[in-house]
Amino acid sequence: MAEALTLAAVSHSAARAAGRVMARCDTLAAISETPGQLTRVYLSAEHLQANRQVGEWMAEAGMRVWQDSVGNICGRYEGQDPSAPALLLGSHLDSVRNAGRYDGPLGVLTALEVVSHMHQNGIRLPMAVEIVGFCDEEGTRFGITLLGSRGLTGTWPADWLERQDAQGITVAQAMENVGLSPLTIGASQRAASDFCAYLELHIEQGPCLQGANVPLGVVTAINGARRLNCEFTGHAGHAGTVPMGQRQDALTAAAEWTLAIETLTTTAGRNLVATVGTLECLPGAVNVIPGQVKLSLDVRGPRDDDLGALQKVLLAQGHEIAARRGLTFAAEQFYGICATECDESLQHRLSQSVLHLQGQAMSLPSGAGHDAIAMAECWPVGMLFVRCKDGISHHPDESVTTGDVAYAVQAYINTVLSFDGGHL
Ligand SMILES: [Zn+2]
């Protein structure tokens, strides 16, 4: 079915726009603290340089431009009614260390092409269109994430200003070093009535679109996640003297549970994933039966109730295996984040655009976190994913094709113009 897919042609202007987006991704990738690699972190000279560059492009697209009090670069293209809640498009401009060049910037630069298209053609929607290039989504420098989007939602925890980077510089000091004031962070907060919706385009960072042989997909939800420390406790013993039938081997129990996790999660379906990522075997000697195994469990999924049900089943299985083998089992959750559901009507708008272009709509959850997590606390959110090569991300090999970006730009333009009340 995927091979028979016929893609509709994109307009010449969308194809040209895609070329511009790719070139601008290269321009931003060169703004880095490490020569030959891309690393651009919050409140660095490169952060402000990237903001200035994106601000220039925003101005060229007919936008009023400002940098807000936490360091987001913002632009506004006025609509017919200045008092109507605006449509906000955005993504982030910061990066991980030795990053790829599309994670984040692709969403900002395609949004710029949407506004540029409107500007070139004299199109004004009933509401303004704003673009935001968020200053810190990845949390690379200070170990706290979504600082940019939480500036807009006004939900910076009080202790964030005191958080330190690896050199011991606090967020507050770093802000002052680049001319921002920690005293005015509240000014970046936007009123709930400022926006009607938030849309974000992003590379998929996974292999599903490539597997389905389509350039674009619509995000249903950003996965919730839970992380647990787990432990099987049996009895250590002499590897030579204790007969096989009389052992309480913690590692074989952990191995059985790990395989059960794979089977039970696969069977559960519903886009759930579960991973045992660490395993510590004690006492850890070649000639000793493992008496204790500590292992981690990471479960994720787009719906919190499914996630909760799976977690319950997996832990019950751990207890069952331990009991049958004469061991004990314990598990403790140390991290949890709820799933973020994308707005249904925004999903529908995006799906219509995608369907029109690629002949089939494709929906998928996001396994990675995004600015939309924070934005969803205040506004309806929708996300469009673009295929990336082999699902590779957070790595210099991150890659998208100009052809796919042309589809992305066209779908984004069509979706935004649908807010005019017209048909796609
Ligand atoms: Zn990202």
Side-chain angles (χ1 to χ4, degrees), residues 337-366:
I337 184 167
C338 292
T340 298
E341 288 190 29
C342 290
D343 179 76
E344 283 202 12
S345 75
L346 293 175
Q347 283 187 59
H348 181 71
R349 279 178 197 272
L350 290 163
S351 290
Q352 290 297 305
S353 300
V354 170
L355 182 64
H356 176 70
L357 283 171
Q358 67 184 27
Q360 74 177 75
M362 164 105 185
S363 294
L364 70 170
S366 172

mmCIF file of all heavy atoms in Angstrom, residues 337-366:
data_model
loop_
_atom_site.group_PDB
_atom_site.id
_atom_site.type_symbol
_atom_site.label_atom_id
_atom_site.label_comp_id
_atom_site.label_asym_id
_atom_site.label_seq_id
_atom_site.Cartn_x
_atom_site.Cartn_y
_atom_site.Cartn_z
ATOM 1 N N ILE A 337 5.781 11.657 34.046
ATOM 2 C CA ILE A 337 5.222 12.824 33.376
ATOM 3 C C ILE A 337 3.976 12.372 32.625
ATOM 4 O O ILE A 337 3.964 11.292 32.007
ATOM 5 C CB ILE A 337 6.255 13.497 32.417
ATOM 6 C CG1 ILE A 337 5.669 14.768 31.819
ATOM 7 C CG2 ILE A 337 6.740 12.549 31.344
ATOM 8 C CD1 ILE A 337 6.691 15.655 31.124
ATOM 9 N N CYS A 338 2.918 13.148 32.727
ATOM 10 C CA CYS A 338 1.653 12.772 32.092
ATOM 11 C C CYS A 338 1.761 12.920 30.578
ATOM 12 O O CYS A 338 2.563 13.704 30.071
ATOM 13 C CB CYS A 338 0.514 13.650 32.603
ATOM 14 S SG CYS A 338 0.112 13.354 34.318
ATOM 15 N N ALA A 339 0.929 12.182 29.871
ATOM 16 C CA ALA A 339 0.841 12.334 28.415
ATOM 17 C C ALA A 339 0.185 13.677 28.092
ATOM 18 O O ALA A 339 -0.614 14.194 28.876
ATOM 19 C CB ALA A 339 0.033 11.189 27.825
ATOM 20 N N THR A 340 0.572 14.254 26.956
ATOM 21 C CA THR A 340 -0.038 15.501 26.480
ATOM 22 C C THR A 340 -0.842 15.184 25.230
ATOM 23 O O THR A 340 -0.279 14.782 24.215
ATOM 24 C CB THR A 340 1.058 16.530 26.120
ATOM 25 O OG1 THR A 340 1.805 16.820 27.295
ATOM 26 C CG2 THR A 340 0.444 17.808 25.576
ATOM 27 N N GLU A 341 -2.141 15.332 25.314
ATOM 28 C CA GLU A 341 -2.957 15.039 24.139
ATOM 29 C C GLU A 341 -3.021 16.241 23.221
ATOM 30 O O GLU A 341 -3.185 17.370 23.671
ATOM 31 C CB GLU A 341 -4.371 14.640 24.581
ATOM 32 C CG GLU A 341 -4.396 13.263 25.202
ATOM 33 C CD GLU A 341 -5.799 12.738 25.420
ATOM 34 O OE1 GLU A 341 -6.704 13.118 24.646
ATOM 35 O OE2 GLU A 341 -5.990 11.975 26.373
ATOM 36 N N CYS A 342 -2.878 16.005 21.936
ATOM 37 C CA CYS A 342 -3.043 17.091 20.967
ATOM 38 C C CYS A 342 -4.534 17.336 20.739
ATOM 39 O O CYS A 342 -5.347 16.418 20.819
ATOM 40 C CB CYS A 342 -2.337 16.730 19.664
ATOM 41 S SG CYS A 342 -0.540 16.728 19.838
ATOM 42 N N ASP A 343 -4.866 18.597 20.465
ATOM 43 C CA ASP A 343 -6.255 18.998 20.296
ATOM 44 C C ASP A 343 -6.864 18.294 19.072
ATOM 45 O O ASP A 343 -6.257 18.263 18.003
ATOM 46 C CB ASP A 343 -6.292 20.517 20.115
ATOM 47 C CG ASP A 343 -7.697 21.024 19.899
ATOM 48 O OD1 ASP A 343 -8.450 21.091 20.889
ATOM 49 O OD2 ASP A 343 -8.049 21.328 18.737
ATOM 50 N N GLU A 344 -8.075 17.771 19.224
ATOM 51 C CA GLU A 344 -8.670 16.972 18.139
ATOM 52 C C GLU A 344 -8.962 17.799 16.900
ATOM 53 O O GLU A 344 -8.767 17.344 15.772
ATOM 54 C CB GLU A 344 -9.941 16.283 18.642
ATOM 55 C CG GLU A 344 -9.592 15.087 19.491
ATOM 56 C CD GLU A 344 -10.715 14.077 19.593
ATOM 57 O OE1 GLU A 344 -11.690 14.186 18.836
ATOM 58 O OE2 GLU A 344 -10.580 13.193 20.448
ATOM 59 N N SER A 345 -9.460 19.020 17.081
ATOM 60 C CA SER A 345 -9.798 19.804 15.882
ATOM 61 C C SER A 345 -8.530 20.252 15.157
ATOM 62 O O SER A 345 -8.506 20.330 13.934
ATOM 63 C CB SER A 345 -10.699 20.993 16.234
ATOM 64 O OG SER A 345 -9.943 21.999 16.856
ATOM 65 N N LEU A 346 -7.458 20.504 15.907
ATOM 66 C CA LEU A 346 -6.189 20.833 15.247
ATOM 67 C C LEU A 346 -5.624 19.607 14.530
ATOM 68 O O LEU A 346 -5.086 19.714 13.424
ATOM 69 C CB LEU A 346 -5.176 21.369 16.262
ATOM 70 C CG LEU A 346 -5.516 22.719 16.895
ATOM 71 C CD1 LEU A 346 -4.499 23.076 17.968
ATOM 72 C CD2 LEU A 346 -5.579 23.827 15.843
ATOM 73 N N GLN A 347 -5.759 18.432 15.155
ATOM 74 C CA GLN A 347 -5.335 17.197 14.482
ATOM 75 C C GLN A 347 -6.085 17.035 13.176
ATOM 76 O O GLN A 347 -5.527 16.632 12.148
ATOM 77 C CB GLN A 347 -5.635 15.984 15.362
ATOM 78 C CG GLN A 347 -4.668 15.762 16.502
ATOM 79 C CD GLN A 347 -4.953 14.432 17.199
ATOM 80 O OE1 GLN A 347 -4.920 13.373 16.583
ATOM 81 N NE2 GLN A 347 -5.250 14.481 18.479
ATOM 82 N N HIS A 348 -7.393 17.366 13.200
ATOM 83 C CA HIS A 348 -8.216 17.216 11.998
ATOM 84 C C HIS A 348 -7.746 18.169 10.900
ATOM 85 O O HIS A 348 -7.616 17.776 9.741
ATOM 86 C CB HIS A 348 -9.687 17.470 12.345
ATOM 87 C CG HIS A 348 -10.594 17.317 11.171
ATOM 88 N ND1 HIS A 348 -10.877 16.101 10.595
ATOM 89 C CD2 HIS A 348 -11.253 18.248 10.442
ATOM 90 C CE1 HIS A 348 -11.675 16.280 9.558
ATOM 91 N NE2 HIS A 348 -11.925 17.576 9.439
ATOM 92 N N ARG A 349 -7.501 19.417 11.270
ATOM 93 C CA ARG A 349 -7.003 20.396 10.275
ATOM 94 C C ARG A 349 -5.702 19.913 9.647
ATOM 95 O O ARG A 349 -5.513 19.966 8.431
ATOM 96 C CB ARG A 349 -6.731 21.745 10.954
ATOM 97 C CG ARG A 349 -7.935 22.609 11.172
ATOM 98 C CD ARG A 349 -7.478 23.884 11.891
ATOM 99 N NE ARG A 349 -8.592 24.591 12.481
ATOM 100 C CZ ARG A 349 -9.333 25.506 11.843
ATOM 101 N NH1 ARG A 349 -9.062 25.812 10.594
ATOM 102 N NH2 ARG A 349 -10.333 26.098 12.454
ATOM 103 N N LEU A 350 -4.764 19.472 10.509
ATOM 104 C CA LEU A 350 -3.468 19.008 10.009
ATOM 105 C C LEU A 350 -3.638 17.761 9.136
ATOM 106 O O LEU A 350 -3.021 17.640 8.078
ATOM 107 C CB LEU A 350 -2.528 18.711 11.185
ATOM 108 C CG LEU A 350 -2.029 19.937 11.963
ATOM 109 C CD1 LEU A 350 -1.461 19.526 13.321
ATOM 110 C CD2 LEU A 350 -0.946 20.683 11.167
ATOM 111 N N SER A 351 -4.520 16.853 9.575
ATOM 112 C CA SER A 351 -4.741 15.606 8.815
ATOM 113 C C SER A 351 -5.310 15.892 7.442
ATOM 114 O O SER A 351 -4.952 15.231 6.456
ATOM 115 C CB SER A 351 -5.691 14.670 9.572
ATOM 116 O OG SER A 351 -5.052 14.162 10.710
ATOM 117 N N GLN A 352 -6.219 16.872 7.354
ATOM 118 C CA GLN A 352 -6.789 17.236 6.052
ATOM 119 C C GLN A 352 -5.694 17.706 5.109
ATOM 120 O O GLN A 352 -5.668 17.344 3.932
ATOM 121 C CB GLN A 352 -7.841 18.339 6.229
ATOM 122 C CG GLN A 352 -9.118 17.881 6.909
ATOM 123 C CD GLN A 352 -9.847 16.829 6.073
ATOM 124 O OE1 GLN A 352 -10.151 17.035 4.927
ATOM 125 N NE2 GLN A 352 -10.101 15.684 6.678
ATOM 126 N N SER A 353 -4.788 18.531 5.613
ATOM 127 C CA SER A 353 -3.682 19.032 4.778
ATOM 128 C C SER A 353 -2.772 17.886 4.341
ATOM 129 O O SER A 353 -2.360 17.813 3.187
ATOM 130 C CB SER A 353 -2.841 20.054 5.554
ATOM 131 O OG SER A 353 -3.623 21.140 5.946
ATOM 132 N N VAL A 354 -2.472 16.986 5.282
ATOM 133 C CA VAL A 354 -1.578 15.860 4.990
ATOM 134 C C VAL A 354 -2.234 14.914 3.987
ATOM 135 O O VAL A 354 -1.613 14.474 3.013
ATOM 136 C CB VAL A 354 -1.209 15.130 6.296
ATOM 137 C CG1 VAL A 354 -0.491 13.817 5.998
ATOM 138 C CG2 VAL A 354 -0.335 16.021 7.180
ATOM 139 N N LEU A 355 -3.499 14.619 4.211
ATOM 140 C CA LEU A 355 -4.251 13.722 3.323
ATOM 141 C C LEU A 355 -4.254 14.253 1.899
ATOM 142 O O LEU A 355 -4.031 13.528 0.929
ATOM 143 C CB LEU A 355 -5.682 13.603 3.854
ATOM 144 C CG LEU A 355 -6.638 12.674 3.100
ATOM 145 C CD1 LEU A 355 -6.137 11.242 3.187
ATOM 146 C CD2 LEU A 355 -8.045 12.779 3.667
ATOM 147 N N HIS A 356 -4.504 15.547 1.764
ATOM 148 C CA HIS A 356 -4.567 16.188 0.458
ATOM 149 C C HIS A 356 -3.239 16.043 -0.288
ATOM 150 O O HIS A 356 -3.215 15.836 -1.503
ATOM 151 C CB HIS A 356 -4.901 17.673 0.676
ATOM 152 C CG HIS A 356 -4.909 18.481 -0.565
ATOM 153 N ND1 HIS A 356 -5.871 18.346 -1.534
ATOM 154 C CD2 HIS A 356 -4.065 19.440 -1.017
ATOM 155 C CE1 HIS A 356 -5.622 19.174 -2.530
ATOM 156 N NE2 HIS A 356 -4.523 19.857 -2.235
ATOM 157 N N LEU A 357 -2.145 16.104 0.436
ATOM 158 C CA LEU A 357 -0.828 16.088 -0.206
ATOM 159 C C LEU A 357 -0.280 14.688 -0.446
ATOM 160 O O LEU A 357 0.297 14.418 -1.494
ATOM 161 C CB LEU A 357 0.180 16.859 0.660
ATOM 162 C CG LEU A 357 0.100 18.369 0.590
ATOM 163 C CD1 LEU A 357 0.997 18.978 1.652
ATOM 164 C CD2 LEU A 357 0.509 18.863 -0.787
ATOM 165 N N GLN A 358 -0.424 13.804 0.537
ATOM 166 C CA GLN A 358 0.238 12.503 0.407
ATOM 167 C C GLN A 358 -0.746 11.347 0.235
ATOM 168 O O GLN A 358 -0.347 10.200 0.237
ATOM 169 C CB GLN A 358 1.209 12.259 1.571
ATOM 170 C CG GLN A 358 0.574 12.095 2.921
ATOM 171 C CD GLN A 358 1.630 11.951 4.038
ATOM 172 O OE1 GLN A 358 2.741 12.444 3.926
ATOM 173 N NE2 GLN A 358 1.266 11.253 5.101
ATOM 174 N N GLY A 359 -2.013 11.664 0.058
ATOM 175 C CA GLY A 359 -2.988 10.632 -0.275
ATOM 176 C C GLY A 359 -3.420 9.776 0.899
ATOM 177 O O GLY A 359 -4.346 8.989 0.807
ATOM 178 N N GLN A 360 -2.752 9.908 2.002
ATOM 179 C CA GLN A 360 -3.193 9.215 3.213
ATOM 180 C C GLN A 360 -2.760 10.027 4.428
ATOM 181 O O GLN A 360 -1.678 10.617 4.436
ATOM 182 C CB GLN A 360 -2.623 7.797 3.302
ATOM 183 C CG GLN A 360 -1.154 7.724 3.652
ATOM 184 C CD GLN A 360 -0.665 6.287 3.801
ATOM 185 O OE1 GLN A 360 -0.479 5.568 2.836
ATOM 186 N NE2 GLN A 360 -0.442 5.878 5.032
ATOM 187 N N ALA A 361 -3.633 10.088 5.388
ATOM 188 C CA ALA A 361 -3.264 10.737 6.637
ATOM 189 C C ALA A 361 -2.528 9.708 7.473
ATOM 190 O O ALA A 361 -2.785 8.514 7.355
ATOM 191 C CB ALA A 361 -4.503 11.232 7.363
ATOM 192 N N MET A 362 -1.607 10.149 8.247
ATOM 193 C CA MET A 362 -0.884 9.229 9.125
ATOM 194 C C MET A 362 -0.836 9.880 10.500
ATOM 195 O O MET A 362 -0.445 11.038 10.627
ATOM 196 C CB MET A 362 0.525 9.033 8.559
ATOM 197 C CG MET A 362 1.511 8.435 9.512
ATOM 198 S SD MET A 362 1.854 6.707 9.157
ATOM 199 C CE MET A 362 2.908 6.284 10.550
ATOM 200 N N SER A 363 -1.284 9.156 11.500
ATOM 201 C CA SER A 363 -1.249 9.686 12.857
ATOM 202 C C SER A 363 -0.289 8.862 13.689
ATOM 203 O O SER A 363 -0.189 7.650 13.506
ATOM 204 C CB SER A 363 -2.645 9.628 13.488
ATOM 205 O OG SER A 363 -3.512 10.500 12.800
ATOM 206 N N LEU A 364 0.397 9.505 14.593
ATOM 207 C CA LEU A 364 1.337 8.782 15.446
ATOM 208 C C LEU A 364 1.600 9.576 16.723
ATOM 209 O O LEU A 364 1.469 10.802 16.719
ATOM 210 C CB LEU A 364 2.658 8.510 14.710
ATOM 211 C CG LEU A 364 3.620 9.660 14.382
ATOM 212 C CD1 LEU A 364 4.932 9.076 13.885
ATOM 213 C CD2 LEU A 364 3.068 10.619 13.370
ATOM 214 N N PRO A 365 1.907 8.892 17.799
ATOM 215 C CA PRO A 365 2.285 9.623 19.014
ATOM 216 C C PRO A 365 3.744 10.048 18.942
ATOM 217 O O PRO A 365 4.508 9.489 18.162
ATOM 218 C CB PRO A 365 2.084 8.583 20.123
ATOM 219 C CG PRO A 365 2.297 7.273 19.449
ATOM 220 C CD PRO A 365 1.894 7.433 18.009
ATOM 221 N N SER A 366 4.099 11.026 19.743
ATOM 222 C CA SER A 366 5.493 11.449 19.830
ATOM 223 C C SER A 366 6.166 10.765 21.006
ATOM 224 O O SER A 366 5.707 10.890 22.143
ATOM 225 C CB SER A 366 5.571 12.963 20.013
ATOM 226 O OG SER A 366 6.915 13.325 20.283
#
